Amino acid sequence: MAASEENNTLFPIFIFSLLALPLVPYTIFQLYHLATKKARIAKCQCSVCLQSGKYRKSIFRRISNFSTYNNLTLLMLWVIMVMLAYHIKSSSHAVICILIFYTCFTQSICMHSVEAHNYFVEYISKAYQALTDPVSRENFEKYGHPDGRQGLQMGIALPQFLLNIDGTSGAINLLGIVGICIILPLVMAVMYLSMSSKYTGNYVLKHTLSAYFYLMKPSLAPSKVMDVFIKAAEYMEIPVRRSDGEPLQRLFVLVRSELNLDLKNIKQEQAKFWKQHPALVKTELLVQAQLNRESGCLSPSLQRDFRRILEVAPRLLEELMKMAVLQRPPHGHGWLRPAIGVVELSQSIIQAVPLSARKPAGGSTEGIAPFLQLPHFSESVLKKLARKKVRTFEDFQELNQQERADLLTRVAGFSLAQSQDVETVLEMMPSITFDIKCETEGEEAIQEGDIVTMRGWVTLNRKNRIVRALPHCPYYPFHKEENFWLLLADPNSNSVWISQKVSFMDESAALIAAPKVIRESKEWAGASPKELNSAVKEAVEKVKNGSRLVIGRFLAPEEGTYNLTLYCLSDSWLGCDTKMSLKIKVLKRTRAGTRGVQVDEGAGTEDGVEEEQVEEDEYDDDESEYSDDEEEHVADEEDDDDSDKKED
């Protein structure tokens, strides 16, 4: 009887401990992550972004953002913990009521029962003694027992009904052990494996990767990237309803000029377009609705599909980019042309700019597309600016703030508030600078077959001096972080030698990675502790100022001079792409001589002779012991022939 009550008391404490061990650290981590995320990321403050309601959080929106499965589970577990704590606390105060209970118990208990008598003597009397006797009370407060220090006692933190191994309790124990310890883990493992087998680490279906890999071609033009992008398995699963027919027909009329249809055979082209898979037709039209900013004419059901398409678009474009720069035989290079097309499509979707606006015009290779991402800009405004000889986006950026304000207010008819919105977005636009070099570690020059390391810093600059910021994209309804793709490519051969995704959002990870790499490289070079600490401090300061360390390696090609181009392409901004020429000279590999030293033309013949002699010596040294036996055998045969001639 005493043991059962002791076990019943320990069971809530046991459950409370099991819940508290993982729940408390996880809650602290989530709160810290939420606080740091909100404090460090800057958002666009122009009137267009504010009016879009993208960053405005109403009560319903806050509740919907909070009401996730993760947060609700976390809240439910905390409620259970609070209830357990209250139960444990209330049970601990039960000793106070023992004095009142003592009188009632002595009157009602049956003293002829041996078990009841023992329970009364061992527990109730002891409790009464601890409340009335000062010495017993002091022992109870100091050791937890009225009689003083006691020996170690063990208990089982389970309810008593689980410990009674009879017919009913045995069946419950068996079901609990089989269900909780065997079946539940198996079900969870099967569910996890079935879900994880369909998706990649970026939450993209593996069928999508297979389709992208099969459809990706080295000659894929940027205008044809859309045809590959919409064939994702996520988009093929979008339902096509009968009620969608008429709204899609109206949308087709609005975006028909952007569908690359042959105007000479427009009827045949339209029929061919509508004969495609219904999911492909629906996806392409909804993507075109985003590019042409025609989402307002969509029905409520199409609006849901429209948001679903845009929500997964950045992940799909990232995987499509990886397929474009995937290393392929025989040289292990990716493809530059489709990679640029993927980045251009990503920029257009995020900024809601039609692909036709990227056609070169007015001396600009990107056309009028960079202007259309600015607030309050349209084609009519650009025509007015062209009269003042502002034809390219670079010309517009080179103007000072006062000149731009005068131009927009007097020529384009902007108000002062609209002009300030344009200035706010221009201050947020990033500018990328490089400090990168390619070399063979530990060598003075690059030779054929060397492992060449591209190492350096990529620095992001803004006029408002903010590093971590979300891009201006009022027409994209979801949270989007800006990323950059660093490509070392050869435009002449359409090959990408190195590709790397660069993000300036996670400063903490960069503060850990960059000093570690710098420290390892300096230690390998034999730097002193003073030089090592100085290099690490410099790396930390660069990261805090908006720089990121990039490292890539590639196999040196055949002998020759290669005119490469280093690209840094933004996936969110138009007109912010940067490129730099990089010349690499690869020398012929020699087996002897000073490594990496170029040979003069006058000494070419002599060096060649010396090289052949050295190679012959090396070949002689590499011969096995069996060659000596063969030489001795040949010498013996020659001696026999000489002796035969003398006898003749």
Side-chain angles (χ1 to χ4, degrees):
M1 185 175 179
S4 65
E5 293 200 1
E6 183 179 0
N7 293 334
N8 290 332
T9 304
L10 292 176
F11 183 68
I13 301 176
F14 174 69
I15 298 299
F16 182 85
S17 302
L18 287 181
L19 290 176
L21 285 176
L23 191 60
V24 173
Y26 180 75
T27 305
I28 295 174
F29 171 77
Q30 290 292 336
L31 293 176
Y32 173 77
H33 179 71
L34 183 63
T36 55
K37 185 177 181 180
K38 287 185 176 180
R40 296 183 180 181
I41 298 178
K43 301 173 183 177
C44 182
Q45 299 299 322
C46 72
S47 62
V48 180
C49 287
L50 295 178
Q51 291 175 3
S52 65
K54 183 176 179 179
Y55 304 119
R56 190 189 306 123
K57 292 185 178 180
S58 61
I59 298 177
F60 176 76
R61 195 167 186 178
R62 291 175 184 271
I63 294 174
S64 61
N65 290 338
F66 177 78
S67 301
T68 60
Y69 291 110
N70 188 16
N71 293 338
L72 292 178
T73 303
L74 196 66
L75 180 63
M76 183 182 66
L77 292 176
W78 272 107
V79 170
I80 295 175
M81 280 190 60
V82 170
M83 294 175 63
L84 287 174
Y86 177 77
H87 176 74
I88 294 170
K89 185 177 180 180
S90 61
S91 62
S92 63
H93 289 289
V95 180
I96 301 175
C97 303
I98 291 179
L99 185 60
I100 302 173
F101 176 75
Y102 176 76
T103 305
C104 299
F105 185 81
T106 54
Q107 295 177 358
S108 59
I109 192 172
C110 180
M111 302 302 297
H112 299 284
S113 174
V114 178
E115 183 180 358
H117 176 73
N118 294 334
Y119 179 77
F120 178 81
V121 172
E122 292 293 331
Y123 291 93
I124 303 300
S125 299
K126 297 291 184 184
Y128 181 77
Q129 184 181 1
L131 294 173
T132 56
D133 187 14
V135 178
S136 300
R137 187 178 185 84
E138 182 180 0
N139 290 334
F140 181 79
E141 293 177 353
K142 187 180 293 186
Y143 303 108
H145 198 278
D147 295 339
R149 188 188 299 275
Q150 301 293 312
L152 180 64
Q153 295 181 356
M154 301 295 292
I156 301 176
L158 291 176
Q160 182 62 26
F161 73 90
L162 292 178
L163 301 177
N164 294 330
I165 311 299
D166 53 10
T168 306
S169 299
I172 294 176
N173 291 335
L174 181 61
L175 291 176
I177 293 173
V178 173
I180 298 177
C181 300
I182 299 177
I183 297 179
L184 182 60
L186 287 177
V187 171
M188 295 178 63
V190 169
M191 292 176 60
Y192 172 77
L193 292 176
S194 62
M195 293 296 295
S196 61
S197 62
K198 298 179 181 179
Y199 292 88
T200 63
N202 201 18
Y203 300 101
V204 176
L205 289 172
K206 293 183 178 179
H207 292 296
T208 300
L209 298 185
S210 301
Y212 284 171
F213 180 80
Y214 176 76
L215 296 172
M216 185 61 63
K217 305 296 179 184
S219 59
L220 188 66
S223 60
K224 300 295 182 182
V225 173
M226 174 74 77
D227 299 335
V228 179
F229 168 68
I230 63 176
K231 290 183 172 61
E234 286 82 353
Y235 294 158
M236 299 298 292
E237 295 178 354
I238 294 178
V240 180
R241 311 171 192 89
R242 291 184 178 181
S243 59
D244 296 338
E246 185 177 351
L248 291 178
Q249 288 285 352
R250 292 197 300 266
L251 182 60
F252 173 79
V253 175
L254 295 174
V255 302
R256 180 169 49 189
S257 59
E258 298 291 334
L259 296 176
N260 294 324
L261 302 179
D262 188 5
L263 298 179
K264 297 180 180 179
N265 301 318
I266 187 64
K267 293 184 179 180
Q268 296 179 0
E269 291 290 325
Q270 290 182 7
K272 183 179 179 181
F273 176 80
W274 289 103
K275 285 182 180 179
Q276 299 181 99
H277 192 283
L280 294 178
V281 174
K282 184 175 182 178
T283 301
E284 185 170 2
L285 290 177
L286 292 179
V287 173
Q288 290 294 343
Q290 167 68 6
L291 298 178
N292 293 272
R293 303 179 183 179
E294 298 288 351
S295 60
C297 66
L298 301 178
S299 62
S301 59
L302 287 180
Q303 282 284 356
R304 291 192 295 269
D305 298 333
F306 174 75
R307 291 179 60 87
R308 180 180 176 186
I309 288 174
L310 294 184
E311 185 177 10
V312 300
R315 298 199 301 267
L316 297 179
L317 288 168
E318 181 179 346
E319 296 300 327
L320 187 59
M321 182 66 177
K322 292 179 181 179
M323 287 298 162
V325 299
L326 182 66
Q327 296 181 353
R328 292 175 171 84
H331 303 292
H333 297 161
W335 297 327
L336 178 62
R337 193 178 184 189
I340 293 177
V342 173
V343 173
E344 290 181 354
L345 179 60
S346 175
Q347 295 172 356
S348 298
I349 290 177
I350 300 302
Q351 295 296 340
V353 174
L355 295 176
S356 60
R358 306 186 69 106
K359 294 180 180 179
S364 175
T365 57
E366 295 187 348
I368 63 173
F371 284 102
L372 297 180
Q373 70 184 338
L374 299 178
H376 316 297
F377 266 73
S378 61
E379 294 186 7
S380 60
V381 173
L382 295 177
K383 291 179 181 179
K384 296 177 182 179
L385 296 181
R387 299 171 187 171
K388 297 297 181 179
K389 298 182 180 180
V390 179
R391 302 182 182 276
T392 64
F393 192 67
E394 290 76 12
D395 297 338
F396 186 72
Q397 285 181 309
E398 289 175 358
L399 300 175
N400 58 44
Q401 184 175 357
Q402 186 61 39
E403 292 175 345
R404 276 195 298 267
D406 294 340
L407 182 67
L408 293 175
T409 54
R410 295 178 181 179
V411 178
F414 281 21
S415 64
L416 292 178
Q418 292 175 337
S419 177
Q420 184 60 38
D421 289 339
V422 174
E423 200 64 34
T424 301
V425 175
L426 289 176
E427 290 179 354
M428 290 193 64
M429 296 188 69
S431 175
I432 301 295
T433 56
F434 300 111
D435 183 15
I436 292 177
K437 61 180 180 180
C438 295
E439 60 182 359
T440 302
E441 295 182 354
E443 303 294 342
E444 297 180 356
I446 301 174
Q447 294 189 5
E448 296 176 341
D450 285 351
I451 302 298
V452 183
T453 302
M454 182 193 75
R455 185 195 305 268
W457 294 89
V458 178
T459 305
L460 182 143
N461 300 298
R462 303 184 205 268
K463 291 183 180 180
N464 57 10
R465 298 182 180 179
I466 296 176
V467 177
R468 303 179 70 248
L470 299 178
H472 163 80
C473 49
Y475 297 99
Y476 185 76
F478 298 100
H479 176 90
K480 176 67 177 70
E481 297 181 355
E482 59 180 12
N483 298 297
F484 297 86
W485 285 95
L486 188 69
L487 306 178
L488 180 63
D490 185 1
N492 297 325
S493 61
N494 189 34
S495 59
V496 177
W497 294 23
I498 293 178
S499 63
Q500 185 173 347
K501 182 182 176 182
V502 182
S503 176
F504 294 87
M505 303 300 291
D506 193 356
E507 183 179 300
S508 58
L511 287 173
I512 296 174
K516 180 180 179 182
V517 174
I518 295 296
R519 181 183 296 275
E520 291 177 353
S521 61
K522 291 295 182 181
E523 289 178 350
W524 184 82
S528 62
K530 185 177 180 180
E531 295 175 347
L532 186 64
N533 293 332
S534 177
V536 170
K537 290 181 180 179
E538 183 181 359
V540 171
E541 191 66 24
K542 284 185 176 181
V543 171
K544 291 182 178 180
N545 292 331
S547 298
R548 296 294 182 266
L549 180 65
V550 292
I551 298 177
R553 292 178 176 84
F554 63 92
L555 189 66
E558 299 177 353
E559 178 187 8
T561 302
Y562 297 88
N563 296 318
L564 304 179
T565 303
L566 191 64
Y567 296 87
C568 190
L569 309 176
S570 172
D571 68 344
S572 304
W573 293 95
L574 290 159
C576 297
D577 299 338
T578 309
K579 63 180 180 180
M580 179 186 72
S581 299
L582 191 64
K583 189 176 182 179
I584 295 179
K585 189 173 184 180
V586 181
L587 304 180
K588 185 178 181 181
R589 176 171 292 279
T590 58
R591 295 181 65 86
T594 304
R595 177 178 173 83
V597 178
Q598 301 183 18
V599 181
D600 296 334
E601 294 181 358
T605 306
E606 296 179 358
D607 293 343
V609 174
E610 293 178 358
E611 183 179 345
E612 292 177 0
Q613 292 177 354
V614 172
E615 289 181 356
E616 290 178 358
D617 295 340
E618 291 178 354
Y619 179 78
D620 293 339
D621 295 336
D622 293 336
E623 288 180 347
S624 63
E625 59 183 0
Y626 297 103
S627 60
D628 298 334
D629 298 337
E630 293 178 356
E631 291 178 356
E632 293 177 359
H633 179 67
V634 172
D636 294 339
E637 290 182 353
E638 291 178 352
D639 294 339
D640 294 338
D641 294 340
D642 293 339
S643 61
D644 293 338
K645 290 179 180 179
K646 290 180 181 180
E647 291 177 358
D648 294 339

